Structures are given as C-alpha cells and as structure tokens.
Amino acid sequence: TVQIKMNRVPVMLERTDNVICYLRLDAANARMLDEVSLSFSDDTDLNNIMAVRLYYSGTEAPQYNGQLRYAPVQYISRDNPKYVRDMNPTYSIVKSTVQPTSHNIRMEANQQLWKGINYFWVSVQMKPGTSLLSKMSLNIDKVLLDGKTAVLARDTQDPYIFRMGTGLRYAGDDNLAAYRM
C-alpha cells in the first residue's frame, strides 16, 4: 500500500520546487519503486507547467516508528536563504523530471527500497509569467512496485485544486535573514 497525502498550499510561481504530494510506502514486501503515473485535470493548462519532478527522500528514522509521518524533514526551507525557492539537495534525490505534453504522465523512479518506510514526493515548477488566476489539479493514478500495481490509500478522495501564489519577500532577499508581515 502506498499512502498519498496532497499538500494543501498554493503553488509559488517563483519556486523551482513546490511540494504537491507526499508518497509514503512500507517496503516490507517490495524491493523497487518502478514508476509513478499521474494525471492533470482537463482544465489544467499544461503550457503553464515547466517541470514535474519525482524525488526520493529516504527512510523513516527509528524514533518515529509507529507514527504516521509523510516526510522526514521539511524539504523546502522557510528560513534558509539558500533553499527557500529550491529543495534542499541534502534531503532529496531527483528520480524523474518531466515536462508534461499530455495530461497523463509517467515518471520512472527505478529506486531501490529499504526495509521500513520510504518517502517520495512530487514537485511542480511553473513557467515565468503564469497568471495568479491559474489553477491546477492532479491525481496519482498508479504506482508500480516490483512491476506490480500497488494499492493507493489517499488522505482524501476529493481532487485538490491548487491555486497560484507569489511570495512578497523570502529569507535572504536584500541580504536579510527573514521577513515578518
């Protein structure tokens, strides 16, 4: 079973990485994540999307056994000026990058799994000039483990509509460590 949790926050237009959803899987009976297939809703304008990425971010720490977590760390920092627009490469490995040309995309992972909980996440990067009025919706359709379709357990069956946003200021802008509104 692969547990899927949608990240319910706006897609920030100036970011390289926006966490769209988390995938959590227990590798008790699987050795390899082969691929993740997803689909955008028909009303999603693919011309606004620069890239969709699948990341692998490791395994669960022993002290969190029995807790339902979807990420071992925060992948995109709010405070570190170096990583407020991009993911921190210390915690994630890009497994696949796709520029969507159709509403259905397949992302090859070919990632060996380790015993216990393994974490993955999907990111989207929008093209410069995308309107703040744009919306996007996607769904994880299929996950292949060892060549077999996994059971998907979603946090909700309702599709989530992502709205666009832009940051007024980020940590590091004008050489300042942080901003407060």
Side-chain angles (χ1 to χ4, degrees):
T1 298
V2 177
Q3 294 172 308
I4 300 169
K5 180 179 181 186
M6 300 306 283
N7 194 23
R8 298 179 181 330
V9 297
V11 173
M12 303 303 282
L13 297 177
E14 60 278 344
R15 282 190 177 161
T16 304
D17 292 297
N18 287 278
V19 179
I20 297 299
C21 68
Y22 300 99
L23 289 84
R24 179 185 197 272
L25 62 102
D26 188 342
N29 299 317
R31 298 287 167 251
M32 179 78 70
L33 173 67
D34 301 314
E35 71 180 56
V36 174
S37 296
L38 57 91
S39 60
F40 288 95
S41 62
D42 291 337
D43 59 345
T44 299
D45 185 355
L46 299 180
N47 294 318
N48 289 332
I49 301 172
M50 182 176 288
V52 180
R53 295 182 187 88
L54 175 66
Y55 287 96
Y56 173 62
S57 55
T59 59
E60 189 167 70
Q63 68 263 30
Y64 297 119
N65 282 345
Q67 296 180 21
L68 183 59
R69 296 168 49 99
Y70 286 90
V73 296
Q74 183 176 339
Y75 301 126
I76 300 170
S77 175
R78 293 173 301 160
D79 308 317
N80 184 337
K82 191 172 179 181
Y83 302 116
V84 292
R85 290 182 176 86
D86 309 322
M87 65 88 188
N88 186 337
T90 304
Y91 299 116
S92 298
I93 300 167
V94 179
K95 297 309 299 181
S96 183
T97 301
V98 175
Q99 182 185 13
T101 56
S102 102
H103 283 80
N104 300 307
I105 62 174
R106 191 175 134 259
M107 306 183 81
E108 291 187 24
N110 298 321
Q111 175 62 48
Q112 178 183 353
L113 301 174
W114 302 98
K115 284 276 188 205
I117 305 299
N118 288 254
Y119 296 106
F120 293 84
W121 56 286
V122 176
S123 168
V124 68
Q125 178 182 8
M126 305 307 286
K127 289 183 180 174
T130 298
S131 169
L132 284 171
L133 300 176
S134 299
K135 297 177 187 173
M136 177 187 73
S137 182
L138 65 84
N139 187 48
I140 303 293
D141 297 323
K142 182 171 70 171
V143 175
L144 288 182
L145 299 171
D146 298 331
K148 299 175 187 162
T149 302
V151 174
L152 303 180
R154 303 172 199 285
D155 62 337
T156 179
Q157 296 302 327
D158 297 329
Y160 183 73
I161 298 170
F162 291 93
R163 298 183 186 282
M164 303 300 122
T166 187
L168 299 175
R169 306 301 291 159
Y170 283 100
D173 288 354
D174 300 324
N175 294 319
L176 295 173
Y179 285 89
R180 255 179 86 159
M181 298 308 264

